[in-house]
Amino acid sequence: MNRIGYYLLYVFLAIVALFQIFPIIWLFLFSLKDNREIFAGSPFALPTEFRWENYQKVWDGGIGVYFWNSVWITAVAIILTVVLASMATFAITRMQWKLSKLVLGLFMVGLMIPIHSAIIPLFSMFLKVNLIDSPWSIVITYTAYNLPITMMILLGFYYTLPREIEEAAIIDGCSVHRMFFRIILPMTGPVISTTVIINMIYNWNEFVFVNTFISSDKYKTLTVGIQNFIGQYMTDWGAIGATLIISVLPILLAFVFFSNKVVEGISSSAIKG
Amino acid sequence: MKVKKIRGHSRKDVLLLNDMGLNVMNKVMSNKWIIAIYTLPALLLIGVLIFIPLVLTGYYGLMDWDGIGDMSFIGLENYKNAIVDGKFWSSAWHSTLLAFFSTLSLAIYLMISMILASKLKGADFLRKIYLIPMLLSSVAIAQLWIKVFNPTNGMLNYVLMKLGIENPPAWLAEPSFVLFAIFIPILWQYAGFYILIYYAALKNIPESIIEAAKIDGASPLQIAYRIKLPLIKGIVKVTIVLAIVGSLKYFDLIYVMTGGGPNGASEVMASYMYKLAFASNDFGYGSAIGFLLLIITLIVTVIIRKLTATKDEIQY
């Protein structure tokens, strides 16, 4: 490839990168401005003064509650999903029983289901058992809907575990539970961290379940919370910008530190069809 | 069998132990109770929260029901209504258009990936930059792009006015522009995802094939079109399924950006269904639309999966 062509390709790739990243930088810039500056100045200008008080204002204004709801709901659902998915994957891949293939098939069919086709009955079911407007409806729904994808990521790893480990453990008189929790589960650490990241992105960003099942402000998570919140600050762009930056920050930070895991997780969750 | 793992036994003992051990092992590892304990919690969750609701959606679709009061069975009435419901067809048409745009955009993503995978320095860093929008919630993306499209203070119209265009459109308020405007953030959001998949597939092509083609005097374009593209055909087909099925399910972004408006110009199947159930309390008709959405999604998936079945034929 000749030199000029080589540089042209780089310029092209850089423009694509700019297109991908610039809207987020713009958002960060206006989250630190006040309206006068946003409406009168160039959108590309740096803030004359960094107005961090925008962040303070929206945090105290109620975003804090949504933030912590997102944190604990995301965390509890991740733990439940990863533990239940690991247990089921273990039984399906490592234990001998006739229906294992069929059960695996059921989980994999779960990958293809559009959630919107289930949301009306879910709503009426939760209404009947008094789980509407309870954060637990969200936790168990996240867990159920993330089980298939989590198991799919785990499967490959479980199939490659050597039989000898289990044989040695059992000959040494280890029970299945001990073997699973003390030996197998720790061994799957690397793939578990991939599933945790993927679950974190899904749960943190989920919108429609919370929007449908939760009506009290005290239980709302960030995605739904910021929706209402932004309504109040209709014309205060600085506040809206700060709200949005707060809502995306944890995921962006996770990406900065674990980008390889994120890439791995997204590519292995992609080929689900 | 690795004998070393078993401590404190001679080799002969171990061989004996192996036989016994395998028996014990098979017995332990096919214990029905243990299998039940390990699989039932997960099965119960997907059964109750995924499969039963799907069946119920089909069932509610046969009912006249406001979600609270009594249901009354009306047979296929809801489906008959759907056939003559102009709003349903226009939402289905918008979903189809989005699926079509999404499929076309795959060509752009593929081109970028080809360039990225042609041994450029920094490719790994760039593809991570491209991926960032994919990590944001649809709500945040929608809110951000509402601002980008803002008629007076948005970034887009600022640039357009600087370029000398006097009255740039109010993108999200124009029925004729809204669907295209909504597609821009969709393009933006998923670019990194598809580039990631294509890049990985392209990196899997053995170097020797490319080298052989170069020696034979093939140009970079010929290599891309005649050699690389056919070799990753399987992955391309998978991404077509993802793009089409994904488009049929679009909801969050559109719901937040326009709520299906103005005047239904950006209504898609999922948003129409959601409105019927949770804004008009027409749970019966909403369920029927939801069931249609399920059937359409499954049919499209199965059809294109059949096409992807050829992927094993590729030989290097």
Side-chain angles (χ1 to χ4, degrees), chain B residues 90-126:
Chain B
S90 89
S91 74
W93 170 241
H94 297 149
S95 293
T96 311
L97 274 180
L98 287 179
F100 181 68
F101 295 155
S102 301
T103 312
L104 281 187
S105 64
L106 293 178
I108 304 172
Y109 301 146
L110 187 57
M111 187 181 76
I112 296 170
S113 315
M114 290 260 189
I115 298 174
L116 207 57
S118 60
K119 284 197 205 158
L120 284 179
K121 283 205 187 84
D124 194 54
F125 177 72
L126 278 171

Side-chain angles (χ1 to χ4, degrees), chain B residues 261-282:
Chain B
N263 202 11
S266 61
E267 197 82 86
V268 290
M269 280 191 287
S271 65
Y272 185 50
M273 179 229 88
Y274 198 81
K275 262 189 197 163
L276 284 174
F278 298 104
S280 331
N281 287 331
D282 197 345

Side-chain angles (χ1 to χ4, degrees), chain A residues 145-206:
Chain A
Y145 279 82
N146 287 343
L147 277 172
I149 187 69
T150 307
M151 287 177 62
M152 208 188 79
I153 299 174
L154 292 174
L155 271 177
F157 199 89
Y158 270 85
Y159 277 126
T160 59
L161 288 176
R163 275 262 167 239
E164 285 86 348
I165 296 167
E166 287 154 5
E167 282 168 8
I170 285 171
I171 290 168
D172 273 359
C174 188
S175 74
V176 175
H177 305 303
R178 226 178 117 84
M179 175 176 82
F180 174 71
F181 284 104
R182 289 292 173 81
I183 301 172
I184 305 285
L185 210 51
M187 281 181 71
T188 60
V191 68
I192 283 189
S193 60
T194 308
T195 60
V196 166
I197 288 269
I198 286 297
N199 272 284
M200 175 181 163
I201 297 175
Y202 282 8
N203 294 352
W204 190 270
N205 291 341
E206 202 283 325

